[in-house]
């Protein structure tokens, strides 16, 4: 089965992979232990008008659960921790939430770069006044970050941008990032590259081949970091990117995960061989 990996970006290297198997072959040719980092929205879950209505398909969840048996899988997301954990249901995996501000390894190990601040509550109050004329705009206060969504009315993009730019100019400890149909204010020292770095350090994955799949501008810091570490980066959808490869949509992510899992199973050493060696079987 062929899956087209579209190379629509002038920045991408001229290696024209047109089959998912070719990307998997490239990954396994490096003969290294691996760690898989996944964005959520736009990468594993389709966008919805209401972010709380987004979900990851059972098919993809099953694939992730099986891949976990072979290597570390971590989520790198702009969602808050509770929302991200809800998306994965019964699957427990490391999560860098809020673009890496909160690092969750398990219920006993959670880390935050910043204590909860009253700043974002104050910003929410200001935003509520600013958007009174634009009821289609949605404020999401994540306690450690604040977002303004315009997915209900894409025509309000410029308005949303101006509102958030004005707030950012008044708070130089924050930076403004643009996602799909959303502008978000986060702490200056928070980005997905730092998030992958932090999880890699905490889980001793520094010498592993990092694979990061994401879909929008908030993932570019992650792509840049993984590229520097000689890892594999995959952009989902259109737009300029620093990622090495491109998948057209979530269906292609699904297929990649399936092919990737099949290869993991094919190359896995049976536990009794790994422990005792073939000559003792």
């Amino acid at each position: 089965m062929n899956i087209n990996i579209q190379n629509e970006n002038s920045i991408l290297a001229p290696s024209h992979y047109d089959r998912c198997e070719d990307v998997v072959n490239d990954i396994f040719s490096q003969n290294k232990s691996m760690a898989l980092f996944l964005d959520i929205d736009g990468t594993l879950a389709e966008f919805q008008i209401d972010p709380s209505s987004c979900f990851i398909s059972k098919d993809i969840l099953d694939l992730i659960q099986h891949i976990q048996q072979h290597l570390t899988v971590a989520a790198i997301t702009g969602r808050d921790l509770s929302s991200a954990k809800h998306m994965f249901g019964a699957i427990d995996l490391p999560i860098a939430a809020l673009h890496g501000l909160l690092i969750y390894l398990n219920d006993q190990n959670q880390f935050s770069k910043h204590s909860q601040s009253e700043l974002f509550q104050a910003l929410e109050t200001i935003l509520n006044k600013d958007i009174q004329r634009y009821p289609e705009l949605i404020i999401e206060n994540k306690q450690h970050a604040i977002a303004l969504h315009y997915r209900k009315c894409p025509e309000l993009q410029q308005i949303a941008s101006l509102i958030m730019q004005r707030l950012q100019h008044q708070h130089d400890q924050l930076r403004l990032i643009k996602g799909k149909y959303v502008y978000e204010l986060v702490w200056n020292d928070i980005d997905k590259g730092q998030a992958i770095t932090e999880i890699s350090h905490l889980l001793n994955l520094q010498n592993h081949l990092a694979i990061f799949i994401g879909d929008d501008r908030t993932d570019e810091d992650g792509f840049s970091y993984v590229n520097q570490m000689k890892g594999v980066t995959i952009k989902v959808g259109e737009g300029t990117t620093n990622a090495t490869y491109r998948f057209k949509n979530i269906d292609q992510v699904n297929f990649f995960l399936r092919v990737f899992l099949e290869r993991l199973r094919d190359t896995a050493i049976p536990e009794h061989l790994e422990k005792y060696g073939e000559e003792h079987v």
Side-chain angles (χ1 to χ4, degrees), residues 1-280:
M1 178 178 180
N2 291 347
I3 291 291
N4 179 37
I5 300 175
Q6 307 238 344
N7 188 343
E8 303 168 5
N9 178 1
S10 59
I11 293 180
L12 293 179
S15 50
H16 298 291
Y17 288 92
D18 62 356
R19 300 175 70 233
C20 227
E21 291 93 337
D22 292 329
V23 182
V24 174
N25 287 340
D26 194 20
I27 290 170
F28 279 83
S29 71
Q30 301 191 45
N31 196 29
K32 295 182 66 175
S33 297
M34 294 170 283
L36 180 60
F37 299 92
L38 300 169
D39 173 46
I40 298 178
D41 294 275
T43 300
L44 302 178
E46 299 284 1
F47 279 92
Q48 305 289 340
I49 294 298
D50 180 358
S52 65
S53 299
C54 296
F55 65 93
I56 303 172
S57 71
K58 183 180 184 303
D59 193 25
I60 289 181
L61 289 174
D62 287 345
L63 289 169
I64 290 172
Q65 193 164 35
H66 284 98
I67 290 170
Q68 275 188 311
Q69 298 174 15
H70 301 271
L71 51 83
T72 297
V73 182
I76 312 294
T77 179
R79 284 181 175 263
D80 63 80
L81 181 59
S82 175
S83 172
K85 290 179 72 174
H86 177 75
M87 295 284 282
F88 287 102
I91 298 176
D92 189 30
L93 76 171
I95 298 172
L98 300 173
H99 307 285
L101 188 145
L102 294 174
I103 303 292
Y104 166 89
L105 300 183
N106 51 51
D107 288 336
Q108 290 73 44
N109 293 283
Q110 301 181 42
F111 309 91
S112 174
K113 280 195 172 183
H114 294 273
S115 59
Q116 185 167 328
S117 171
E118 295 180 356
L119 171 62
F120 295 103
Q121 187 61 48
L123 294 180
E124 182 180 10
T125 300
I126 295 170
L127 282 175
N128 274 314
K129 294 178 181 178
D130 288 343
I131 70 168
Q132 285 180 355
R133 295 172 54 193
Y134 311 103
E136 298 89 351
L137 295 177
I138 302 170
I139 300 169
E140 182 183 7
N141 187 348
K142 303 178 181 181
Q143 304 305 317
H144 300 276
I146 194 159
L148 187 62
H149 298 268
Y150 58 91
R151 61 177 74 193
K152 279 188 174 182
C153 185
E155 294 79 9
L156 289 177
Q157 175 182 354
Q158 187 174 5
I159 297 296
S161 175
L162 290 172
I163 289 172
M164 294 297 273
Q165 284 183 51
R166 184 167 63 249
L167 277 185
Q168 192 277 323
H169 290 156
Q170 297 168 359
H171 300 85
D172 57 9
Q173 72 273 49
L174 304 178
R175 68 187 183 100
L176 181 62
I177 57 178
K178 183 184 184 305
K180 285 188 176 177
Y181 305 107
V182 63
Y183 288 96
E184 187 166 357
L185 287 168
V186 301
W187 298 105
N188 276 330
D189 59 347
I190 302 300
D191 65 59
K192 290 189 176 182
Q194 292 296 320
I196 295 173
T197 304
E198 192 73 17
I199 286 185
S200 297
H201 174 75
L202 291 169
L203 297 179
N204 295 316
L205 302 172
Q206 297 97 322
N207 295 322
H208 287 55
L209 177 71
I211 305 161
F212 179 42
I213 309 178
D215 74 296
D216 70 13
R217 294 184 188 178
T218 66
D219 298 306
E220 291 300 321
D221 293 315
F223 293 150
S224 295
Y225 169 75
V226 172
N227 287 343
Q228 290 172 13
M229 303 305 293
K230 309 300 182 185
V232 174
T233 51
I234 303 168
K235 158 91 170 177
V236 182
E238 300 179 359
T240 301
T241 185
N242 292 310
T244 307
Y245 305 119
R246 186 189 300 273
F247 291 165
K248 184 177 180 180
N249 51 35
I250 292 174
D251 288 340
Q252 291 186 347
V253 176
N254 186 333
F255 186 76
F256 167 81
L257 294 175
R258 186 172 303 280
V259 175
F260 184 68
L261 175 60
E262 289 173 358
R263 182 64 66 85
L264 284 171
R265 286 171 168 167
D266 289 344
T267 57
I269 301 173
E271 185 177 349
H272 64 285
L273 291 180
E274 185 175 18
K275 184 175 183 180
Y276 300 109
E278 187 172 3
E279 68 274 15
H280 298 296

